[in-house]
Amino acid sequence: SQKIEQNSEALNIQEGKTATLTCNYTNYSPAYLQWYRQDPGRGPVFLLLIRENEKEKRKERLKVTFDTTLKQSLFHITASQPADSATYLCALGIGGSQGNLIFGKGTKLSVKP
Amino acid sequence: DGGITQSPKYLFRKEGQNVTLSCEQNLNHDAMYWYRQDPGQGLRLIYYSQIVNDFQKGDIAEGYSVSREKKESFPLTVTSAQKNPTAFYLCASSPQSGTGELFFGEGSRLTVL
């Protein structure tokens, strides 16, 4: 069966450390993968997109990797801050057509001062 | 400022009543979407529309209806046929020629009493 899994429901880290979130999938062949941030009671906000032919993407303190062999994406936040505390969602883009985004359940990140 | 506006933010409904959730965007995006979010689950697609006067069912369309009479508006009606309507509803849009990045509204929380 087709699945998308984010490694843990919650991740707690200390301020200043690097947070690493994992998104694994099976039986999909995504054209791209996206990461979103969602704060409680709010809509998700787009962060980064990485295509199947890209290994790594960076944006400020954020880095995303995409390994189509392992069927895995890693999302890193370096020098984490309490303001980074939120739920992070990964989403697979299937076939590149509109409407075909498969979302994971999200990982709730808590950064402690 | 450009963005997506959902209303109402909170809505209570008695069983057997239809309710309509509003979604308006001024981003000039062609595609619009409705997602449902439940605790512990990923976002699930209800309906999407790529062009005015056309829309397609998503994974969980039963008990819902939509219309797309104007480019900027995509209202969702939760009908009495939806057996478990209590949820957080998210509207999103994206440019047709884009990479699938979604711009979300702030959500509407529907509670059935």
Side-chain angles (χ1 to χ4, degrees):
Chain A
S1 64
Q2 296 173 317
K3 284 195 305 183
I4 174 171
E5 290 183 334
Q6 295 191 241
N7 59 322
S8 58
E9 289 189 12
L11 179 65
N12 299 310
I13 65 168
Q14 206 67 30
E15 182 177 8
K17 302 293 185 183
T18 295
T20 299
L21 285 65
T22 304
C23 181
N24 295 295
Y25 59 94
T26 58
N27 296 327
Y28 286 114
S29 296
Y32 54 85
L33 190 146
Q34 302 176 354
W35 285 89
Y36 290 82
R37 169 185 173 139
Q38 186 175 25
D39 291 288
R42 309 286 298 272
V45 175
F46 172 81
L47 297 174
L48 282 168
L49 174 145
I50 187 165
R51 300 179 189 278
E52 60 179 335
N53 60 349
E54 297 175 321
K55 297 293 186 185
E56 182 179 298
K57 213 57 155 325
R58 290 177 186 262
K59 179 182 176 182
E60 298 173 351
R61 293 185 295 112
L62 308 180
K63 184 178 85 171
V64 173
T65 63
F66 193 11
D67 189 326
T68 55
T69 301
L70 292 179
K71 296 186 182 294
Q72 180 183 80
S73 174
L74 299 179
F75 177 80
H76 307 273
I77 305 175
T78 58
S80 59
Q81 305 165 1
D84 295 326
S85 299
T87 295
Y88 292 86
L89 311 176
C90 70
L92 301 183
I94 306 299
S97 61
Q98 298 289 341
N100 283 336
L101 267 182
I102 310 298
F103 280 86
K105 296 178 182 180
T107 295
K108 184 176 181 181
L109 173 66
S110 295
V111 181
K112 305 298 183 184
Chain B
D1 288 354
I4 297 182
T5 302
Q6 289 187 241
S7 63
K9 178 70 174 175
Y10 300 96
L11 186 61
F12 298 89
R13 181 192 105 173
K14 293 181 180 179
E15 283 193 24
Q17 287 182 335
N18 292 355
V19 294
T20 297
L21 308 180
S22 170
C23 178
E24 304 278 330
Q25 55 103 353
N26 59 5
L27 299 168
N28 199 33
H29 287 170
D30 292 304
M32 296 188 74
Y33 311 81
W34 275 103
Y35 287 89
R36 171 179 172 142
Q37 187 173 36
D38 295 282
Q41 295 200 39
L43 299 181
R44 292 183 290 167
L45 183 64
I46 304 173
Y47 270 98
Y48 67 101
S49 168
Q50 297 180 318
I51 195 170
V52 173
N53 292 324
D54 188 43
F55 47 83
Q56 285 77 41
K57 293 182 179 180
D59 301 319
I60 55 166
E62 185 175 351
Y64 300 98
S65 65
V66 293
S67 63
R68 187 86 186 275
E69 297 178 0
K70 298 185 297 182
K71 185 176 183 178
E72 55 272 20
S73 179
F74 192 41
L76 173 74
T77 297
V78 185
T79 75
S80 56
Q82 169 50 236
K83 298 306 178 188
N84 186 21
T86 294
F88 189 50
Y89 291 89
L90 288 159
C91 180
S93 70
S94 68
Q96 193 70 282
S97 58
T99 54
E101 170 190 348
L102 295 180
F103 295 76
F104 284 90
E106 290 299 315
S108 294
R109 186 168 298 280
L110 172 63
T111 303
V112 174
L113 302 173

